[in-house]
Amino acid sequence: MKNDYDRFKFSPSVILWPLAFVLLLWIVYWVEVRFHIYLNDYGILPRTLTGLRGIILSPFLHGNLEHLYNNSIPLFVLVAGMRFFYRKHALQVITYGILLSGAFTWLIGRDGSYHIGASGLIYALVSFIFFKGIQTGYYRLVALSMLVTVLYGGMVWYVFPGVDNEISWEGHLGGFLAGMLFSRVYEAEEYQKPIVYDWQRPDFDASKDPFMKRFDAKGNFINPPKPEDIEVVDYEIISPPPAMNQPVNYTYVYVPERGGGGA
């Protein structure tokens, strides 16, 4: 069992991973614009052989600058969160999240439409972080789940068809299901809960605790002894202090009054 100091450690990779991933997306888009290359045909074309390549390539392709911008910020936040809080499984969830969400899109996607963008991976990461945190019950990971819900909870509506015909709800649904699946497949480590009370400490000895002594082996409370049963010893009544047993001498000194005599 690990504590926070052993498990949650900041490293440069927490920033470098998401920075490299997002930078790669922008480089690909810049190459398209700079050299007038149209790469959307490398996206996922459902149930076609050529469309299979899109399972790997589609997350790096975006239709316009707004599409790229809207995916960049969530990706940076979520990849950094995965690397920091789920370091052991971050690479697997990201890699398999791309593959599984893409494969799901290839199977159920609309005919004649290319599906591009990293939103499938975003949904996979959001889903994994939310469900995994709830499953662990660990307060920091649960708090992370709640934070993800606040930031990206509204995205859940876009896994349903008909909400917006301009987006790939199939990719969103595939990513959401992939993240949910990974939250069950990858087991999180057990975490040491913070010590709040003395009885939570591993070296706590109930037999020496004054309060726990008031309970018997069955857990029943034992009444303390009555006041009359308690022996009270007042040494001042039984015997005087040792100093009072010793003789005390008092010495008086007479000083005659000075001045004139009487009439």
Side-chain angles (χ1 to χ4, degrees), residues 23-262:
L23 184 60
L24 179 58
L25 302 186
W26 282 86
I27 291 175
V28 171
Y29 184 78
W30 177 83
V31 170
E32 287 189 87
V33 175
R34 177 66 177 80
F35 298 100
H36 304 285
I37 301 175
Y38 189 73
L39 299 178
N40 288 358
D41 291 345
Y42 288 85
I44 299 175
L45 189 61
R47 294 173 297 281
T48 64
L49 290 178
T50 56
L52 286 173
R53 63 191 179 186
I55 294 177
I56 299 176
L57 301 178
S58 62
F60 306 97
L61 308 175
H62 292 82
N64 52 53
L65 190 61
E66 181 182 4
H67 187 201
L68 175 60
Y69 175 78
N70 290 337
N71 281 347
S72 296
I73 296 178
L75 269 178
F76 188 93
V77 174
L78 294 169
V79 172
M82 283 292 302
R83 182 58 180 164
F84 183 79
F85 290 97
Y86 298 98
R87 181 180 299 267
K88 183 179 179 180
H89 305 304
L91 182 60
Q92 293 94 320
V93 173
I94 293 172
T95 303
Y96 297 142
I98 292 175
L99 298 177
L100 190 56
S101 63
F104 191 85
T105 304
W106 185 85
L107 287 173
I108 71 167
R110 284 161 284 181
D111 292 328
S113 299
Y114 285 97
H115 298 255
I116 59 174
S119 55
L121 174 60
I122 292 175
Y123 273 78
L125 298 181
V126 169
S127 178
F128 176 86
I129 292 174
F130 173 77
F131 287 108
K132 193 74 227 175
I134 299 299
Q135 292 166 15
T136 60
Y138 185 65
Y139 74 105
R140 287 199 172 187
L141 299 182
V142 172
L144 179 64
S145 298
M146 296 299 102
L147 179 61
V148 166
T149 302
V150 172
L151 294 177
Y152 306 113
M155 294 168 47
V156 69
W157 300 110
Y158 296 98
V159 303
F160 301 106
V163 176
D164 188 347
N165 293 327
E166 298 297 324
I167 64 174
S168 176
W169 65 267
E170 299 93 333
H172 297 172
L173 180 60
F176 183 84
L177 295 177
M180 185 187 302
L181 175 63
F182 295 151
S183 71
R184 303 298 301 180
V185 171
Y186 295 110
E187 294 292 335
E189 300 178 20
E190 294 185 2
Y191 301 95
Q192 180 179 348
K193 296 182 179 180
I195 296 176
V196 180
Y197 305 101
D198 289 338
W199 53 264
Q200 293 178 314
R201 299 183 181 278
D203 57 348
F204 176 74
D205 188 356
S207 62
K208 298 180 180 179
D209 185 76
F211 179 75
M212 296 302 296
K213 290 180 179 180
R214 301 269 64 86
F215 296 88
D216 59 16
K218 297 182 179 180
N220 299 319
F221 184 77
I222 304 174
N223 292 324
K226 297 179 181 180
E228 56 269 19
D229 296 336
I230 301 177
E231 182 181 1
V232 178
V233 179
D234 192 338
Y235 292 100
E236 294 185 357
I237 299 176
I238 297 176
S239 61
M244 296 184 65
N245 294 331
Q246 299 177 1
V248 179
N249 298 323
Y250 297 93
T251 303
Y252 297 92
V253 178
Y254 172 73
V255 179
E257 183 180 357
R258 298 180 181 180

